[in-house]
Amino acid sequence: MTELAKALMELDEQKVYQLVEEKLNNGVSPLDILAECNEGMAGVGDLFSQGQYFLSQMLFSAEIFKNVMKQLEAVLPQTQESTGKNKVVIGTVKGDIHDIGKNIVVSLLKGSGFEVIDLGVDVPAEKFVAALQESGAKVLGLSALLNFTYPEMKNVVQAVTDAGLRDQVTIIIGGAPCNEQVRQFAGADYYAEDAVAGVNICKKVYAC
Amino acid sequence: MLADVRQLYETRLGRYQAAIALEKTDRIPIATGSNYFAEVYSGNTKQDTIYDSVKWLQAEEAFIRDFPEVDVLRNNRIWGPLYDAVGCKTYRLPGRDLPPNTQFQFVEDEYMKADEYDVFIKNPLEFMLDRFLPRVLGELAEPGSIRARMALLKGGMAQAQMGQIMRNRAIYLEEKLGMPQPMTGFFLAPFDALADVMRGLKGTLLDIYRQPDKVLEACDVLVDEMVNLALATADPLKRYPIFVPTHKACFLSPKQFDTFYWPSFKKTMERIIEAGYTIRAYLEGDWGHHIHHMLELPKGKVLCDIDNQGDIFKAKEVLGGHQCVAGGIQDSLFILGTPQEIRERVKLLCETVGKDGGFIINGGCNIPYDTKPENYRAMIDAVIEYGTYDRNFTPKPKTVQPDGKEPVKLKMVTPWEVKLAELGTVMGEESLIRKAWEQLEVMGYTWIWQWVL
């Protein structure tokens, strides 16, 4: 693991910014810097899976990563070729305006090199469908904090089916009120118990 | 009050209190703190609950008629008009910014800036009045303006109206329906006071890395304020526990919890318990790594609600014989499950975590709005069937003995002594003037701090 990746994994905030700054000044390509950060974020995910890190560390790593992205944005190649690969559409379903959990997943996905189409909160079914059609993403992530959203999750799955996309899209649900029973009710493919589990499912989908 | 209604009230209250105190009782109480299902069972919208107190009470009357086995029903809720009068920004309310049948939702923001800790620590009240309230209460955005002054006036009046509504409601529930309350009064863990509305979760988490000492100092300052808030809003007769929803502990690592969350929370609870109260704590999220700390508090004083992500069996294993635990039924089971599934679950719970008392069947800190009525009925029937300890035992409420201690002095901005010095002397009975003066001072002070919730 590189020094930068390690600093990020260990949440040494100032050191991360400083190393990124140094690397940029030394002409290191922003894409290479990003790759190192991805390695650090993967390390954070591993520590979480091992029970050494908790949600607070996930949130803090996401914050550092976001700030690094800001540092890099100015110099990253402007028009990245959209490959149509590794895309994930994600959002909090209609009626629910909470996004802490979703944002952790988004950061981890980005840190794993996914292109994330984050639709935000209170997202209606048709917006999910449109985003899937537009992007060609193979994964749809539905997030919720409140338990009144069960029918809405089912509704989104139905809308994806109605649009003829169901067999091309893997649907994952996650968030506090979700479990296997809710997954079955909604007709989703997976229930992700935490952010890392969600990211691993995305990796699995794009591996095949 | 009719004798049989009084009897019903006392049996219910006694049953609930016995469970909290880990004492003998006749059966497991049906004593959810937040029964959202009860509010909408009769067909009311979620807007009705917070805007139409008459319809709200009617709803619960209908609920009690159909589910007379229920032992407690919640009183204090958000009352929409108060939130409107001052333009409180922390909640989206059904019927106002949400469809009438969507549940209220909390909106987080940074109402205290990262560099304001010193200002807050130096003079919390001044900080609240000068900075926090104008930010969190939209109508007070321009201090000194006519609109802001009007809003403060209306906010006080609305608070008095709300107090009247809640008081009348409590009396009606008690005297007409024999129904006690699951909790009265509220406070927050100092860390949550900081991390909910003041700094927000993100802000606070950054702070514990970037300026940990300031977070700790602020939490220390907040102990006093939270104790005051709890005691000022509590049931003076000490029948009911004081409510504390814990929000941010589930995000913290055990080390962070031990450092930032627990010391000030423990101090706050110790002082409340010392003042003669019990506490009902919603342990939101998964408290698996933190819950053993509840053993450090006096036995039978803190009822712990275990959330959906928590493990009721482990919680009982850790706290059994020391604190009462509530929970055990997943929200999803109430909403999506069948009566048979509920029945099996309750049976299992009664035979394991419930078998030696100190247990209350509940969802994850509440009964969800979308609970199927037949599932709720199945839960009650199963509790009666499997959760009865002694049919011949009649629970009785605890009588609160005066302990001879001076009651805790509640906070005021201008204590009576100051006012009296200004007056020089009073011509008649001083205590009559003093009592009302102090009561209004306490109400005003409490009003300011309630907005951290």
Side-chain angles (χ1 to χ4, degrees):
Chain A
M1 189 174 270
T2 68
E3 196 185 1
L4 172 56
K6 192 159 173 280
L8 179 53
M9 185 181 78
E10 289 172 355
L11 308 176
D12 192 342
E13 187 187 12
Q14 291 312 318
K15 192 170 176 189
V16 170
Y17 303 149
Q18 194 192 322
L19 286 170
V20 170
E21 195 65 43
E22 276 170 24
K23 282 174 192 285
L24 285 173
N25 290 339
N26 291 337
V28 178
S29 126
L31 285 173
D32 289 343
I33 297 175
L34 192 58
E36 287 187 54
C37 290
N38 288 349
E39 196 189 349
M41 289 300 281
V44 169
D46 289 344
L47 288 173
F48 180 82
S49 295
Q50 292 159 20
Q52 294 189 49
Y53 271 7
F54 292 77
L55 284 167
S56 64
Q57 281 103 345
M58 300 285 271
L59 281 164
F60 190 47
S61 71
E63 191 60 28
I64 302 173
F65 184 68
K66 210 169 74 190
N67 288 335
V68 170
M69 288 303 284
K70 268 190 217 148
Q71 271 178 294
L72 295 181
E73 241 160 42
V75 283
L76 267 176
Q78 279 307 307
T79 48
Q80 269 182 297
E81 266 305 297
S82 195
T83 55
K85 273 185 179 172
N86 290 12
K87 284 184 184 174
V88 177
V89 171
I90 192 167
T92 305
V93 298
K94 190 176 161 186
D96 198 326
I97 58 169
H98 296 89
D99 62 359
I100 290 172
K102 173 187 68 68
N103 292 346
I104 295 177
V105 178
V106 169
S107 285
L108 268 191
L109 281 170
K110 285 184 180 167
S112 301
F114 284 92
E115 186 182 334
V116 184
I117 298 128
D118 181 359
L119 300 176
V121 299
D122 193 15
V123 181
E126 58 273 19
K127 211 169 152 191
F128 281 116
V129 171
L132 287 170
Q133 283 165 334
E134 225 166 83
S135 65
K138 286 199 245 173
V139 181
L140 170 61
L142 303 179
S143 171
L145 180 72
L146 302 172
N147 58 37
F148 69 78
T149 53
Y150 299 159
E152 183 54 29
M153 292 191 203
K154 187 175 180 152
N155 185 33
V156 176
V157 175
Q158 188 57 48
V160 173
T161 308
D162 293 346
L165 298 169
R166 188 66 188 90
D167 53 353
Q168 301 147 47
V169 176
T170 300
I171 303 178
I172 310 170
I173 64 166
C178 295
N179 55 32
E180 186 52 29
Q181 183 174 31
V182 178
R183 182 201 69 76
Q184 278 180 24
F185 169 79
D189 299 298
Y190 293 96
Y191 150 63
E193 197 182 357
D194 56 50
V196 174
V199 172
N200 286 339
I201 297 164
C202 294
K203 283 179 183 165
K204 212 168 81 184
V205 170
Y206 278 106
C208 46
Chain B
M1 193 192 310
L2 292 168
D4 54 345
V5 178
R6 163 62 45 194
Q7 175 67 42
L8 191 57
Y9 175 82
E10 290 190 348
T11 305
R12 283 169 169 160
L13 180 60
R15 183 179 290 133
Y16 181 47
Q17 289 178 336
I20 298 172
L22 313 173
E23 289 167 3
K24 180 182 166 75
T25 186
D26 60 339
R27 67 160 164 81
I28 291 176
I30 296 163
T32 301
S34 303
N35 197 328
Y36 293 118
F37 172 60
E39 297 170 3
V40 296
Y41 167 72
S42 69
N44 271 8
T45 65
K46 293 169 185 85
Q47 182 182 7
D48 291 333
T49 310
I50 58 168
Y51 277 98
D52 189 337
S53 50
V54 175
K55 280 189 88 175
W56 177 22
L57 190 53
Q58 284 167 350
E60 304 218 318
E61 202 162 5
F63 179 80
I64 294 168
R65 191 187 55 227
D66 288 359
F67 302 102
E69 300 91 340
V70 166
D71 290 306
V72 294
L73 266 185
R74 186 186 197 181
N75 191 13
N76 261 343
R77 290 279 276 121
I78 284 176
W79 189 58
L82 168 62
Y83 283 65
D84 299 339
V86 293
C88 178
K89 297 177 188 169
T90 47
Y91 290 97
R92 295 208 184 158
L93 298 182
R96 193 186 68 189
D97 355 73
L98 294 170
N101 240 340
T102 300
Q103 78 183 70
F104 72 95
Q105 298 188 39
F106 179 64
V107 200
E108 206 167 85
D109 210 334
E110 282 189 26
Y111 294 108
M112 171 179 162
K113 307 292 166 209
D115 60 2
E116 287 183 327
Y117 275 93
D118 288 336
V119 185
F120 172 74
I121 291 160
K122 196 170 156 229
N123 191 336
L125 182 74
E126 199 173 287
F127 175 83
M128 294 299 281
L129 281 171
D130 289 350
R131 303 195 188 204
F132 180 74
L133 292 188
R135 288 174 194 161
V136 81
L137 306 178
E139 291 289 322
L140 269 63
E142 288 172 48
S145 67
I146 290 201
R147 187 152 173 175
R149 282 179 280 168
M150 272 301 285
L152 211 51
L153 199 58
K154 286 194 296 174
M157 290 175 173
Q159 189 74 45
Q161 283 185 318
M162 173 172 156
Q164 186 77 2
I165 287 169
M166 296 304 168
R167 191 160 53 246
N168 288 345
R169 213 182 114 78
I171 292 170
Y172 190 89
L173 284 168
E174 178 179 339
E175 297 192 344
K176 294 277 192 289
L177 304 169
M179 185 58 70
Q181 286 165 45
M183 52 235 185
T184 296
F186 54 86
F187 67 103
L188 286 176
F191 186 89
D192 281 328
L194 200 62
D196 283 357
V197 183
M198 297 178 83
R199 292 283 296 129
L201 175 65
K202 199 183 105 188
T204 312
L205 287 183
L206 296 183
D207 296 342
I208 66 179
Y209 286 100
R210 292 173 180 169
Q211 41 180 351
D213 295 345
K214 298 290 175 200
V215 174
L216 285 174
E217 241 184 292
C219 286
D220 269 350
V221 165
L222 279 159
V223 170
D224 234 24
E225 302 300 342
M226 291 300 108
V227 171
N228 190 73
L229 183 62
L231 298 182
T233 52
D235 172 30
L237 301 177
K238 303 182 178 177
R239 292 164 297 183
Y240 311 127
I242 306 176
F243 177 47
V244 58
T246 71
H247 293 136
K248 304 300 196 287
C250 58
F251 291 95
L252 302 179
S253 73
K255 195 167 161 233
Q256 289 169 334
F257 179 88
D258 294 353
T259 309
F260 296 101
Y261 198 98
W262 183 247
S264 51
F265 188 31
K266 182 182 172 185
K267 242 183 268 173
T268 306
M269 289 194 286
E270 278 174 342
R271 283 175 50 188
I272 291 168
I273 293 167
E274 196 159 302
Y277 285 92
T278 55
I279 293 166
R280 181 159 191 164
Y282 279 16
L283 307 184
E284 289 193 343
D286 183 2
W287 264 64
H289 292 281
H290 315 316
I291 196 167
H292 61 276
H293 283 288
M294 287 293 178
L295 293 169
E296 297 164 28
L297 293 163
K299 182 178 167 180
K301 295 294 182 187
V302 187
L303 160 52
C304 297
D305 275 282
I306 309 302
D307 205 351
N308 290 294
Q309 296 88 46
D311 183 331
I312 191 78
F313 300 100
K314 273 197 193 136
K316 176 75 180 193
E317 209 179 288
V318 174
L319 296 184
H322 196 79
Q323 307 292 8
C324 177
V325 294
I329 301 185
Q330 291 282 311
D331 288 355
S332 58
L333 196 57
F334 276 119
I335 299 170
L336 303 174
T338 63
Q340 187 53 34
E341 285 170 320
I342 293 266
R343 200 181 153 73
E344 282 160 20
R345 181 71 183 170
V346 172
K347 181 170 186 281
L348 173 72
L349 290 168
C350 290
E351 288 168 353
T352 53
V353 288
K355 71 174 188 304
D356 47 2
F359 175 60
I360 292 170
I361 296 252
N362 197 7
C365 297
N366 66 72
I367 303 290
Y369 284 111
D370 300 324
T371 296
K372 288 182 196 160
E374 63 270 30
N375 284 349
Y376 194 71
R377 173 40 67 196
M379 178 201 83
I380 288 178
D381 291 345
V383 170
I384 305 287
E385 184 172 347
Y386 302 112
T388 297
Y389 304 118
D390 182 352
R391 222 172 288 277
N392 300 316
F393 184 83
T394 307
K396 287 197 177 46
K398 293 179 180 303
T399 45
V400 180
Q401 308 288 351
D403 51 12
K405 274 188 292 186
E406 273 284 298
V408 178
K409 225 170 159 37
L410 295 170
K411 291 193 165 208
M412 301 172 211
V413 174
T414 313
W416 171 247
E417 293 71 23
V418 173
K419 180 67 182 171
L420 183 63
E422 284 170 10
L423 289 171
T425 175
V426 294
M427 310 279 282
E429 175 68 48
E430 185 195 324
S431 65
L432 288 178
I433 310 172
R434 176 185 186 137
K435 194 179 166 203
W437 174 270
E438 291 185 335
Q439 209 171 23
L440 287 167
E441 274 285 333
V442 166
M443 282 167 70
Y445 196 94
T446 309
W447 191 93
I448 294 165
W449 282 93
Q450 71 178 322
W451 301 107
V452 301
L453 221 69

